Amino acid sequence: MRLILAVLLLFALPAAVHAEPSRAEQTMMRTVEAEHDRHIALLERLVNQNSGTLNLAGIRAVGDMVRAELEPLGFAVRWVDMGETGRAGHLVATHPGRGRNILLIGHLDTVFEPDSPFQRFERDGARATGPGVGDDKGGVVVIVAALRAMQAAGTLRGSNVTVVLTGDEEKIGSPSSLARRHLIAAGQAAAFALEFENLALDDGAEFGTVARRSSTNWTLTTTGRTGHSSGIFNDTLGYGAIYEMARILDGFRRDLPEPNLTYNVGVIAGGTPAAIDTEGVNATASGKTNIVASTAIARGDLRTLTAEQDTRIRAGMQTIVDAHLPRTGAELVFGEGGYPPMAPSEGNIALLERLNIVNRDLGLPEMAAYDPARRGAADSGFVAADVDTLGGLGVAGGNAHADGEWVDLDSLVRQSQRAAVLISRLSLGRE
């Protein structure tokens, strides 16, 4: 009986509606295809200009290249200097129109600083490698290609579009409230937000990103009484800093497991003494086997899917920290700012369905929602609390953040076509 009911319900569902692309949308598709070589050349120029997050001049140079693409399309482009946060700045471009405001999000920086050996764009057929070729210079080119197609089709004229390309997505400036105030304001003013990080892939299938987890750093410091190791565990010396550290970290692992939650430990040191540098990257320690450790330090990150989960897990971590072993102490400090989660809201899911309507109309594969536990944090998290947001609209590729980062250049065509039609429909109202 249950099987029969399930079959009846299946047939009762409305069939997927397929509509022919409008004349303007057909023009967009042809324009993207005709300009493919142009956009590959743009991608090559962007990639060959180093823009590691700390290369401030390089980031501004990439911003100038993008400015030269957007201003001829009628965008008012400005550079927002972020010297007060220790970063280069952001490019903000606006195109007023009668339509609903669509926010397009990407970033100019990469993880590859000037001292990296991985510096140049290389092409082998439909495959290209290079620093930031997918994350996120390929996404920036998708934005440019989509907007050019919209201009050729006449839909850009009435569309209301804001582009925010940050210059420090890979290593956000501090304080983050200052570093992201322009992006947050743009999100609050938008009807929809589209983020152009890498397209999610799994075994050749393409997915939509309706959720991303947060990313927040934490530092745990434990202390203990030091002395001769023969006295460890007694009432005078207690357990020492390293045992206290081990208790807490294992408590996180044992007591707080749940879906979409991780707390990685990236660096740890313990001894008498132990210390970590101001960047939280290099830890040092010294000690002997017959000395009870006085100090231990660990740094890691916390990733959660919702604001509620984040608040609850932080409290749970603190409860574990506070249950000290005898004669020890511990302090848990969360880093300022970080990336908030992009929670999987009903609005985000509905936005993916709008993209899938575009996919059906253009004869492109539909996309399921990607597992958020398999995606990193992104700038979309700063706007998702205020506006329906869809991510992962950049190019298809792999090996991001590593030598050999690559993209499928053919995906630049279909992603730009999808984006051009989706932006036009969202802004001008066609469902």
Side-chain angles (χ1 to χ4, degrees):
M1 177 61 71
R2 289 182 179 177
L3 179 59
I4 294 173
L5 288 173
V7 172
L8 289 174
L9 284 171
L10 178 62
F11 281 100
L13 292 174
V17 177
H18 170 75
E20 290 296 322
S22 68
R23 183 173 299 175
E25 291 168 352
Q26 293 175 29
T27 299
M28 293 180 211
M29 296 179 73
R30 290 194 300 268
T31 300
V32 169
E33 291 171 353
E35 295 193 335
H36 186 44
D37 289 342
R38 178 193 190 277
H39 297 313
I40 292 174
L42 172 61
L43 179 59
E44 181 174 4
R45 293 197 304 275
L46 294 175
V47 170
N48 285 339
Q49 170 57 63
N50 178 277
S51 59
T53 308
L54 302 182
N55 181 4
L56 308 192
I59 291 169
R60 286 192 290 267
V62 171
D64 288 341
M65 294 181 194
V66 179
R67 177 192 291 270
E69 296 291 326
L70 296 181
E71 286 184 336
L73 301 178
F75 280 81
V77 182
R78 62 192 176 104
W79 183 259
V80 179
D81 185 81
M82 280 285 124
E84 55 194 326
T85 69
R87 298 293 183 263
H90 314 312
L91 184 143
V92 178
T94 55
H95 184 284
R98 68 180 186 278
R100 291 173 291 189
N101 181 249
I102 312 301
L103 171 62
L104 311 182
I105 303 170
H107 62 91
L108 305 169
D109 63 320
T110 77
V111 299
F112 301 95
E113 298 295 340
D115 61 354
S116 168
F118 189 47
Q119 292 289 342
R120 303 297 294 176
F121 178 96
E122 294 185 7
R123 180 180 180 182
D124 182 7
R127 185 183 178 103
T129 60
V133 68
D135 185 14
D136 185 36
K137 292 178 179 179
V140 172
V141 173
V142 170
I143 292 174
V144 171
L147 295 173
R148 285 180 60 84
M150 290 172 62
Q151 184 193 50
T155 62
L156 183 59
R157 185 181 308 111
S159 294
N160 185 349
V161 180
T162 300
V163 180
V164 176
L165 304 179
T166 60
D168 60 348
E169 196 271 349
E170 301 294 3
K171 191 175 178 62
I172 190 170
S174 180
S176 61
S177 57
L178 189 61
R180 287 297 177 270
R181 70 183 189 275
H182 297 88
L183 177 61
I184 292 170
Q188 292 170 341
F192 301 100
L194 305 176
E195 165 246 287
F196 287 82
E197 293 268 3
N198 286 0
L199 175 64
L201 298 173
D202 187 4
D203 197 24
E206 300 177 348
F207 292 80
T209 299
V210 299
R212 288 180 177 271
R213 295 190 299 163
S214 67
S215 178
T216 304
N217 293 331
W218 51 263
T219 302
L220 176 63
T221 305
T222 59
T223 56
R225 294 186 179 182
T226 188
H228 197 284
S229 63
S230 63
I232 194 168
F233 307 150
N234 68 21
D235 291 340
T236 300
L237 289 185
Y239 283 71
I242 292 178
Y243 272 107
E244 173 71 344
M245 176 66 73
R247 175 194 71 80
I248 294 170
L249 296 180
D250 196 50
F252 293 168
R253 179 189 66 82
R254 288 184 298 102
D255 298 347
L256 298 176
E258 60 182 69
N260 299 306
L261 170 68
T262 56
Y263 12 73
N264 177 60
V265 183
V267 61
I268 188 170
T272 308
I276 196 165
D277 65 7
T278 56
E279 292 294 320
V281 174
N282 297 303
T284 58
S286 62
K288 295 182 178 180
T289 59
N290 61 354
I291 297 176
V292 178
S294 65
T295 310
I297 301 172
R299 289 257 301 166
D301 71 2
L302 171 66
R303 295 176 184 265
T304 58
L305 186 58
T306 67
E308 180 278 330
Q309 183 183 49
D310 193 80
T311 299
R312 176 167 47 79
I313 293 302
R314 289 192 189 205
M317 293 172 73
Q318 188 62 55
T319 297
I320 292 170
V321 168
D322 290 341
H324 304 300
L325 291 173
R327 304 295 184 264
T328 66
E331 181 184 35
L332 177 65
V333 177
F334 290 96
E336 182 276 337
Y339 284 83
M342 172 183 164
S345 69
E346 292 183 4
N348 295 357
I349 295 169
L351 195 49
L352 175 58
E353 177 51 31
R354 291 192 179 200
L355 176 59
N356 277 326
I357 293 172
V358 171
N359 286 331
R360 291 195 288 270
D361 293 349
L362 300 187
L364 295 171
E366 295 189 38
M367 300 169 165
Y370 199 58
D371 179 1
R374 300 176 64 184
R375 295 236 64 164
D379 277 336
S380 50
F382 286 98
V383 305
D386 296 310
V387 61
D388 295 341
T389 305
L390 184 64
L393 294 172
V395 289
N399 216 34
H401 288 206
D403 288 1
E405 180 179 355
W406 65 274
V407 296
D408 171 14
L409 293 172
D410 290 341
S411 71
L412 179 57
V413 173
R414 61 182 179 272
Q415 288 298 86
S416 302
Q417 291 172 335
R418 283 168 166 147
V421 175
L422 181 62
I423 295 166
S424 299
R425 291 185 181 185
L426 290 176
S427 187
L428 301 178
R430 176 183 168 184
E431 297 300 325

